[in-house]
Amino acid sequence: MNKSPVFPFVAIVGQEKMKLSLILNIINPTLSGVLIRGEKGTAKSTAVRALAEILPAIQVVKDCPFQLFPDEARPVCRECAHIECSRKVMNHEPVETVQRGIRVVELPVGATEDRVVGTMDLEHALKKGEKRMEPGLLAAAHRGILYVDEVNLLDDHVVDVLLDSAAMGVNTIEREGVSFSHPARFTLVGTMNPEEGELRPQLLDRFGLCVHIEGINDPAARVAIMERRLTFDESPEDFCLEWEEGSRQLVKQIERAIDLYPHVVIDHALLYEIASFCLDVGVDGHRGDIIILKAAKTLAAFHGRTEVLKDDIDTAAELALPHRIRRQPLQDIVVDVDRLRRQKQAHQLANA
């Protein structure tokens, strides 16, 4: 069955911060995901699926429920005896691999912890006397994108599990005295409407980047959105073909950035700029400083440079700090971080 065309990522009008945050997390998964806050109908899910559609295919062991690359399979296969390919891996026999696209795994709001993490098949253990692990959504999301719509409506302990796995790249299942771990490296994308309730500050801080998006107010841009969507709905294949070259160029830029990132350096003085930025706007802890550093290096790589500039830091701060700035009760998340910094600096000078 032919796959339905997906609206091209490069054809999305506006929402530049959201698109940039998604791209940066693809280049550097250690950024720990992005939280997209805003109203419905602003292309959040469209952007996630569209980006996954154009990313390069990955190699996986055929029928592996953990989406493993052959070289990382052995530790997991030891505990996965009910899968035929695991027997071959453990016996050093060649296994069949396939190339497939990046997956977007969607987490339903009512998902239980067992559904997310995975569990042990107790019935099989009692009947056969064999340990068999049943993988969860985190296994399906390995090497892909985990998309959580309305993340603020999830149980807090489920959100904790997601964020822990996103940060460590490993998921651990512990049931009935049995512990089992498998790789779980994925790009975490959470969306929420602030009008439906906020995340706890401790959970907000665990998302690497945060962007606030809303409907576009420029009439010309709104007309462009209508025209592109109508053209896509009437002839999806032709529309995608029209944007194919732009998509190809973006993929090349992402692949080049992934290769370039390990070689990006930052001047020591700019580390003080990052620290000062966080202190000026009132950020607790050190996670904000670290994420700005990683995001700034990723931005430099995305733009084809091996050296971080101050502009990279300013852009990274706008993505990494809005949800980390100390707020008064009932105060909303800061949208313009640079403006807040200038205001606080001016206030300090006035009181000096």
Side-chain angles (χ1 to χ4, degrees), residues 2 25 40 69 88 90 135 137 144 157 166 179-180 198 200 203-204 220 229-230 246 249 252 260 272 280 308-309 348:
N2 292 330
N25 270 277
K40 297 182 183 297
F69 186 74
K88 293 182 178 180
M90 295 310 296
L137 292 173
H157 70 280
S179 181
F180 170 70
E198 284 283 4
R200 289 191 289 115
L203 296 178
L204 274 175
R229 188 69 218 190
L230 184 62
Q249 292 300 321
K252 287 182 179 178
L260 196 59
Y272 280 91
D280 288 343
V308 173
L309 305 178
Q348 291 171 354

Side-chain angles (χ1 to χ4, degrees), residues 55-295:
L55 293 176
I58 60 174
Q59 184 184 24
V60 297
V61 175
K62 186 179 180 181
D63 299 325
C64 175
F66 298 99
Q67 324 307 316
L68 299 177
F69 186 74
D71 290 347
E72 65 181 357
R74 185 173 301 279
V76 178
C77 290
R78 189 176 296 114
E79 305 292 342
C80 190
H82 67 300
I83 303 296
E84 175 62 22
C85 63
S86 66
R87 180 189 61 78
K88 293 182 178 180
V89 170
M90 295 310 296
N91 291 334
H92 300 278
E93 299 175 18
V95 293
E96 185 178 356
T97 61
V98 294
Q99 294 278 335
R100 66 159 177 79
I102 296 292
R103 287 180 179 171
V104 177
V105 177
E106 297 193 32
L107 182 71
V109 171
T112 63
E113 185 175 349
D114 282 352
R115 179 76 183 93
V116 174
V117 175
T119 187
M120 186 173 73
D121 188 340
L122 294 178
E123 182 179 355
H124 182 84
L126 292 172
K127 287 183 178 180
K128 301 291 184 68
E130 297 174 348
K131 179 171 60 175
R132 185 165 78 177
M133 310 310 299
E134 294 295 335
L137 292 173
L138 293 182
H142 178 48
R143 302 170 70 196
I145 298 173
L146 182 61
Y147 179 69
V148 188
D149 196 16
E150 298 181 321
V151 64
N152 51 321
L153 302 184
L154 281 178
D155 289 339
D156 281 352
H157 70 280
V158 174
V159 180
D160 274 326
V161 167
L162 292 177
L163 295 171
D164 281 340
S165 295
M168 296 185 296
V170 175
N171 175 48
T172 300
I173 306 170
E174 294 184 348
R175 296 290 185 274
E176 309 299 328
V178 176
S179 181
F180 170 70
S181 296
H182 67 82
R185 294 185 298 277
F186 52 85
T187 299
L188 177 63
V189 181
T191 66
M192 60 176 282
N193 185 342
E195 295 177 356
E196 298 173 348
E198 284 283 4
L199 279 170
R200 289 191 289 115
Q202 297 91 329
L203 296 178
L204 274 175
D205 183 58
R206 299 283 293 282
F207 278 94
L209 308 180
C210 176
V211 294
H212 180 83
I213 62 173
E214 53 190 16
I216 297 173
N217 294 324
D218 177 52
R222 294 179 76 99
V223 169
I225 292 171
M226 289 187 285
E227 289 177 335
R228 290 184 186 183
R229 188 69 218 190
L230 184 62
T231 304
F232 173 77
D233 289 342
E234 290 178 345
S235 182
E237 291 82 3
D238 291 340
F239 186 82
C240 292
L241 188 62
E242 180 183 346
W243 292 91
E244 187 175 6
E245 180 58 29
S247 299
R248 189 180 298 113
Q249 292 300 321
L250 177 59
V251 171
K252 287 182 179 178
Q253 191 175 0
I254 291 173
E255 291 178 326
R256 184 169 62 247
I258 292 172
D259 293 335
L260 196 59
Y261 178 79
H263 306 289
V264 176
V265 296
I266 180 170
D267 187 85
H268 195 67
L270 290 179
L271 296 179
Y272 280 91
E273 171 63 18
I274 293 174
S276 298
F277 207 130
C278 292
L279 291 170
D280 288 343
V281 299
V283 174
D284 294 323
H286 303 284
R287 188 175 280 124
D289 306 59
I290 295 169
I291 294 298
I292 290 178
L293 173 59
K294 289 182 176 182

Side-chain angles (χ1 to χ4, degrees), residues 334-349:
V334 174
V335 176
D336 191 337
V337 176
D338 186 59
R339 181 182 178 186
L340 175 65
R341 186 189 191 192
R342 292 196 304 270
Q343 289 174 344
K344 291 199 172 188
Q345 287 175 335
H347 181 72
Q348 291 171 354
L349 287 173

